[in-house]
Amino acid sequence: MTEPIRRPVFLMLATALAALVFWIDSIAEYESSVAILYLAALVLVSAVGSGKEVTRAAQGCVALTVLAWVVVHLHDPKAASILRCLFACIAIGVTAALLVSRKRLEATQQDLEHSRAEVDLFANSVPYVLWRSNPRGEIEYLNASWTAVTGLDRLSVLEGQRYNDVVHPDDIPILNETVSAAVANRTVTNLKVRIRQANGSYRWMQIYDNPAYSPLTDQVERFGGLSDVHDEVVAKQELQVVRDELETSRTELVNFTDSVPQILWRADHSGKIDFFNRRYTEITGRDVQATIGRQDYADDIHPEDREKFSRVWKEAISDRSEVRATYRLRHVTGEYRWMSLVGRPVQFGESPEEIRYYGGVSDIHDEVTSHQKVKELNETLEQRVAERTSELMLTEQRYAGLFDVSNMTFAEMDFSKAETMLDAIKDSGVTDLRSYMAAHPDELARTLGAIRTTRVNDALARLMGYENVADLVANPPAQNAEDGTEVLLRQLEMYYHGVNHIDGRTVLVGKAGRRIPVYFTVTRLSDGLHLSSHLDLSEQERIEQMRQAAQAEMARANRIATVGAFSASIAHELNQPITSMVFDARTGTRMIARENPDIEGVDRILQRMEKNAQRISGIVQRTRENLVGRRRAVGTIDLHRLALETRDLIDHDLKRAHVELEVVCATAVPAIMGDQVELQQVFVNLVNNAIDAMRGQQGVRRVTIELVAKDGAVEVRVSDTGPGIPEEYIQKLFEPFFTTKATGIGMGLEICRSAVAAMGGQLTVANLPAGGACFAFDLPFAVAQTS
Ligand code: ADP
């Protein structure tokens, strides 16, 4: 009977039964417990109804039982009937309780079954292999996923305990070891092993096996499972490989960056340096991290280069362009070296910040300095080449031009072979080439024979009377001049002593013995070439001869012309001694006319008159000689004595003019050679001029004649304390007829000058610093002159 039909049937039967029992129990006084039959009705209800329905049915049955007692026994309640009724109610109640509890047990059993089925469903539907093992670690349960994963029947595997067959042989030892330890210690097993799959491949799977107390078995059982972690493990392994590779390449990179001989660097988008390789520290001596922290790397850049570097760097960062800079970097030694920095931006993302600069700095010091040197050398070289080229061009032009100029004579001679021969002579230690050649005439001839005339110009050929230059070139050079050998020897000496230029006079010997006096110059060029040019002196010599003749004639004419002047001069010169004599004669006459005639005084006056007479005679004699152009014989003169004598001679004039004449001769002076009368006349003239100059002058009037022997000559100085010579007159003083005096003739100094010159001296004049004029001249010692 199906459930929908059975329930109403059983309930109707139960109701009918209950109604029947009530009817019997209520119609007659049966002394039996019919009410017990209500229990059957309850059993029927419990067969199809719930616990609550059984309870309600039991309550109904109790009510019917009590109702039936009331109907039948209430009018005569007897204890027996009451007890029966009570027992029946108790029986109904107990039975109902039993039936309800049975109902509950059944419901519990059903729930259990349901749960069990759910667990089974869950265990078999999860995609993981699950198991349960006993406390010894032996697996007793495997879920359905086992078969799905391994392709093996789980029951047969369990039966034969063959579940370890699916583990990769290499993983068996670790598995056994781990599981044994976990079982023994009741700890968790957590292990990855390779499990053979249904398709035969191995996949990494995670074993997780946990000990748990089971109240059912009252012992510690183990529950575990397998999850597929193959992809994760493989990914991890691959990741590890990648990591290892990365680590290797990072190490390699570090080794590489540290071993390159350049500084390597990296900067972020703002130009902040965040990496330097080890070379940076080696070069600058700085700590990399400290420098990166402070960003003060530019402190090592040479102060002159720092600004430019910073500008270039900032520009590159703002333009996000390549950076290039050359600058001097201070090294750990303190030395600055030229470096070249190059850096490039690398974009590694979308945003502008995602940019980095990578670059290096290399040492280009040697290149820069050698480049600078080469540049300097090149510039110097270029300059020199330019100078030399222009010089050469100029020289060549001049040379070529000069050579072709028709009226200038040139000859070019090659001394190179001769110079080689001279080198050999020099190497042998000869210093005086001229003496050596004089002693070795053969060698001189050989050396001269090595000299070649390489080129002469038309002008020279013409000058020497040759029709063409070839004839002259063919001549042996020594034959081209009267003293050709001497001239060539001088040219050899040029090379020998390193002289580049000589000149002199010679007489060229031209064609058919023609003689041409010339002034020549020789210049030594490079490569042993000598260039000579000649100035024809034929005309000059002729002019010179004419000039000399004219001069002689003029001198004679001059002498005649100056006779008048001489007459005046004689008058001037004779004037003084004659005046002196007149005074002396008068003084002498007065002395004799006295009562006691001063015989000594008269004698002294007479002697002086004699000397004056002699002087007059000397002057007349000299003048006559001058006029006829002859000189008197000269003799030795004691200058000191002559000076003293002169003072004596003009004593009269000196006194009259209140002039003091001092003769200074500190040490004896040697005699000189000359004309005594003339020299005395020089003294008289100079002293008289001084007297004239100081005439009327206030203060000291002194003339000093100073004699000093020096360097083979006696220096004579005649100085005065007069006004000196006005600057504008100094040049004209010695000119004939120059005078500033009203009665002067202007011949005195001219006569003095020529007299001194005739004795080998030169009369000069100068003003003294303290005032006054000083006339001076040197006269050579007589000994030196005669020797
Ligand atoms: P003169 O005595 O006839 O004038 P000099 O030839 O002796 O001719 O002198 C030329 C001039 O030189 C003089 O007129 C005078 O002006 C100047 N002179 C010569 N000696 C002196 C001196 N000691 N001091 C100043 N002037 C002088």
Side-chain angles (χ1 to χ4, degrees):
M1 203 182 296
T2 55
E3 186 65 27
I5 299 165
R6 208 165 73 114
R7 183 176 156 84
V9 171
F10 272 52
L11 288 177
M12 274 170 26
L13 280 174
T15 308
L17 184 61
L20 181 66
V21 172
F22 179 72
W23 179 66
I24 296 171
D25 200 19
S26 59
I27 58 169
E29 278 191 45
Y30 293 102
E31 295 296 326
S32 62
S33 295
V34 179
I36 293 298
L37 292 175
Y38 282 120
L39 297 182
L42 285 178
V43 170
L44 282 170
V45 171
S46 76
V48 294
S50 64
K52 274 185 182 168
E53 286 168 332
V54 171
T55 306
R56 276 200 296 273
Q59 289 168 347
C61 288
V62 169
L64 288 176
T65 304
V66 172
L67 184 61
W69 180 80
V70 169
V71 170
V72 178
H73 298 287
L74 196 59
H75 64 279
D76 184 17
K78 290 181 184 159
S81 66
I82 293 169
L83 281 174
R84 273 199 306 275
C85 178
L86 190 61
F87 288 147
C89 287
I90 290 169
I92 291 166
V94 170
T95 303
L98 283 172
L99 287 171
V100 166
S101 76
R102 191 172 156 243
K103 267 280 166 205
R104 282 190 187 142
L105 192 67
E106 276 177 7
T108 306
Q109 264 180 341
Q110 263 183 4
D111 283 350
L112 202 65
E113 278 303 316
H114 187 72
S115 300
R116 203 184 187 123
E118 261 189 346
V119 168
D120 257 359
L121 185 66
F122 172 72
N124 290 326
S125 61
V126 291
Y128 305 104
V129 173
L130 298 176
W131 66 72
R132 190 190 72 243
S133 55
N134 61 25
R136 294 185 303 282
E138 294 158 358
I139 293 176
E140 292 179 340
Y141 168 82
L142 279 170
N143 70 349
S145 291
W146 171 269
T147 308
V149 170
T150 64
L152 301 175
D153 178 48
R154 53 179 169 153
L155 297 178
S156 54
V157 164
L158 286 174
E159 204 175 329
Q161 295 278 306
R162 309 274 315 248
Y163 35 80
N164 278 357
D165 289 358
V166 296
V167 179
H168 194 284
D170 291 350
D171 298 339
I172 290 286
I174 181 105
L175 174 71
N176 287 340
E177 191 185 322
T178 309
V179 169
S180 304
V183 167
N185 302 323
R186 294 189 176 175
T187 53
V188 172
T189 308
N190 190 355
L191 183 70
K192 292 187 184 86
V193 292
R194 279 160 289 180
I195 301 292
R196 192 176 62 231
Q197 307 292 302
N199 63 6
S201 69
Y202 281 95
R203 286 181 73 82
W204 282 99
M205 302 196 88
Q206 170 103 32
I207 296 176
Y208 192 86
D209 189 44
N210 202 19
Y213 173 74
S214 169
L216 292 172
T217 55
D218 192 26
Q219 52 186 358
V220 174
E221 293 187 336
R222 301 185 70 87
F223 299 91
L226 272 180
S227 58
D228 191 318
V229 292
H230 189 77
D231 292 342
E232 185 193 331
V233 170
V234 169
K236 260 193 188 166
Q237 283 175 344
E238 282 172 0
L239 194 67
Q240 190 57 40
V241 170
V242 172
R243 266 205 197 123
D244 291 347
E245 280 173 3
L246 267 177
E247 185 57 31
T248 312
S249 51
R250 204 187 75 81
T251 314
E252 265 180 20
L253 189 67
V254 170
N255 288 342
F256 171 70
T257 57
D258 284 345
S259 59
V260 290
Q262 281 86 11
I263 294 176
L264 298 179
W265 54 267
R266 186 181 63 207
D268 68 7
H269 67 281
S270 66
K272 193 174 153 206
I273 299 282
D274 56 14
F275 170 80
F276 274 127
N277 65 346
R278 197 167 54 200
R279 187 83 182 123
Y280 177 75
T281 304
E282 289 169 6
I283 286 180
T284 63
R286 277 166 165 266
D287 178 61
V288 167
Q289 291 313 321
T291 308
I292 288 174
R294 293 194 296 265
Q295 291 289 310
D296 59 352
Y297 52 87
D299 289 359
D300 287 334
I301 294 174
H302 194 285
E304 288 172 14
D305 303 337
R306 219 174 279 162
E307 196 189 313
K308 187 179 166 205
F309 173 83
S310 142
R311 196 181 64 244
V312 168
W313 179 248
K314 277 183 192 148
E315 278 172 11
I317 296 295
S318 76
D319 298 350
R320 309 201 170 281
S321 61
E322 184 178 285
V323 57
R324 276 181 185 274
T326 304
Y327 56 87
R328 282 160 290 179
L329 182 71
R330 188 175 51 222
H331 282 47
V332 66
T333 54
E335 175 201 15
Y336 279 100
R337 290 181 70 81
W338 281 101
M339 309 295 279
S340 168
L341 175 141
V342 180
R344 293 216 173 93
V346 176
Q347 189 89 34
F348 60 91
E350 294 292 307
S351 85
E353 274 80 49
E354 288 174 322
I355 196 168
R356 275 202 175 144
Y357 274 83
Y358 293 90
V361 182
S362 39
D363 190 318
I364 53 163
H365 192 77
D366 294 340
E367 286 93 318
V368 169
T369 44
S370 55
H371 183 72
Q372 278 172 349
K373 269 188 205 142
V374 168
K375 203 174 145 200
E376 279 167 20
L377 279 176
N378 268 345
E379 280 170 3
T380 319
L381 199 69
E382 273 171 25
Q383 197 186 335
R384 289 218 182 125
V385 166
E387 279 171 13
R388 294 292 298 152
T389 309
S390 64
E391 256 173 44
L392 277 173
M393 282 175 71
L394 218 63
T395 309
E396 188 58 35
Q397 280 168 9
R398 258 185 278 170
Y399 190 58
L402 282 174
F403 231 92
D404 298 336
V405 169
S406 59
N407 55 357
M408 294 188 78
T409 62
F410 286 106
E412 189 185 76
M413 281 188 276
D414 183 0
F415 275 66
S416 52
K417 279 190 187 140
E419 285 178 358
T420 312
M421 296 160 97
L422 292 182
D423 285 340
I425 296 171
K426 203 171 201 174
D427 289 346
S428 68
V430 174
T431 52
D432 185 350
L433 181 68
R434 187 167 283 269
S435 310
Y436 177 81
M437 287 302 191
H440 301 83
D442 293 350
E443 195 146 359
L444 176 63
R446 257 204 317 281
T447 313
L448 296 185
I451 301 167
R452 293 272 169 277
T453 305
T454 45
R455 215 171 154 192
V456 297
N457 71 347
D458 281 343
L460 184 59
R462 265 200 317 277
L463 179 69
M464 293 177 73
Y466 288 96
E467 302 280 304
N468 57 56
V469 292
D471 294 345
L472 179 52
V473 169
N475 265 358
Q479 289 180 12
N480 288 330
E482 273 185 0
D483 56 349
T485 304
E486 167 61 19
V487 173
L488 292 176
L489 187 58
R490 280 185 69 194
Q491 287 181 252
L492 292 176
E493 281 180 316
M494 284 170 77
Y495 173 72
Y496 211 73
H497 301 301
V499 176
N500 287 328
H501 181 88
I502 57 163
D503 54 25
R505 279 169 177 264
T506 187
V507 178
L508 296 180
V509 180
K511 197 172 179 188
R514 180 198 285 199
R515 293 179 69 260
I516 311 110
V518 292
Y519 173 79
F520 69 91
T521 63
V522 179
T523 302
R524 196 158 69 87
L525 307 173
S526 54
D527 307 330
L529 290 180
H530 284 209
L531 179 70
S532 53
S533 70
H534 320 82
L535 190 65
D536 183 358
L537 296 180
S538 308
E539 190 63 10
Q540 276 86 338
E541 276 201 356
R542 204 171 59 75
I543 292 168
E544 179 63 16
Q545 281 164 6
M546 279 168 65
R547 194 186 64 81
Q548 279 175 4
Q551 218 169 30
E553 183 55 29
M554 221 159 78
R556 212 175 67 81
N558 258 357
R559 272 199 300 277
I560 294 163
T562 51
V563 166
F566 271 117
S567 312
S569 163
I570 290 161
H572 169 82
E573 290 186 34
L574 295 184
N575 191 31
Q576 190 271 330
I578 288 169
T579 314
S580 178
M581 282 171 77
V582 169
F583 274 108
D584 279 346
R586 283 183 193 156
T587 314
T589 312
R590 273 201 309 276
M591 281 177 170
I592 290 167
R594 280 181 201 159
E595 232 175 280
N596 294 315
D598 180 1
I599 300 300
E600 274 182 25
V602 172
D603 182 42
R604 209 170 49 244
I605 286 170
L606 285 175
Q607 279 179 26
R608 194 158 66 202
M609 285 175 73
E610 189 194 346
K611 276 187 185 159
N612 267 325
Q614 282 170 359
R615 209 173 121 223
I616 291 166
S617 151
I619 291 167
V620 171
Q621 172 73 14
R622 180 168 50 79
T623 308
R624 198 182 63 80
E625 281 168 1
N626 272 343
L627 286 175
V628 298
R630 273 197 299 117
R631 298 208 62 79
R632 285 178 62 204
V634 291
T636 55
I637 304 168
D638 178 348
L639 277 172
H640 190 205
R641 204 166 56 83
L642 184 68
L644 293 173
E645 267 180 26
T646 308
R647 183 172 65 181
D648 202 26
L649 206 64
I650 54 171
D651 183 50
H652 202 71
D653 299 328
L654 291 167
K655 284 204 176 100
R656 232 172 14 155
H658 303 287
V659 172
E660 184 193 334
L661 173 60
E662 194 182 3
V663 176
V664 179
C665 183
T667 50
V669 293
I672 59 106
M673 199 65 125
D675 182 331
Q676 179 136 346
V677 177
E678 251 177 24
L679 196 53
Q680 189 169 55
Q681 195 57 37
V682 169
F683 278 137
V684 170
N685 267 343
L686 294 178
V687 174
N688 273 340
N689 274 346
I691 291 170
D692 286 346
M694 293 185 290
R695 203 177 300 282
Q697 174 187 293
Q698 299 297 316
V700 191
R701 297 180 195 172
R702 186 169 54 231
V703 180
T704 309
I705 297 177
E706 200 180 346
L707 303 169
V708 182
K710 197 164 78 181
D711 299 336
V714 180
E715 189 188 19
V716 183
R717 293 158 61 87
V718 181
S719 52
D720 60 57
T721 54
I725 322 281
E727 276 304 315
E728 64 266 34
Y729 295 158
I730 279 211
Q731 297 298 326
K732 300 180 184 169
L733 222 55
F734 297 104
E735 285 177 11
F737 307 116
F738 173 80
T739 180
T740 58
K741 299 170 193 166
T743 56
I745 299 170
M747 284 302 295
L749 286 178
E750 158 65 12
I751 290 165
C752 291
R753 193 185 56 78
S754 50
V756 169
M759 285 178 272
Q762 192 189 1
L763 181 62
T764 59
V765 64
N767 284 321
L768 295 170
C774 176
F775 289 84
F777 53 91
D778 282 350
L779 294 175
F781 297 160
V783 185
Q785 237 178 22
T786 48
S787 67

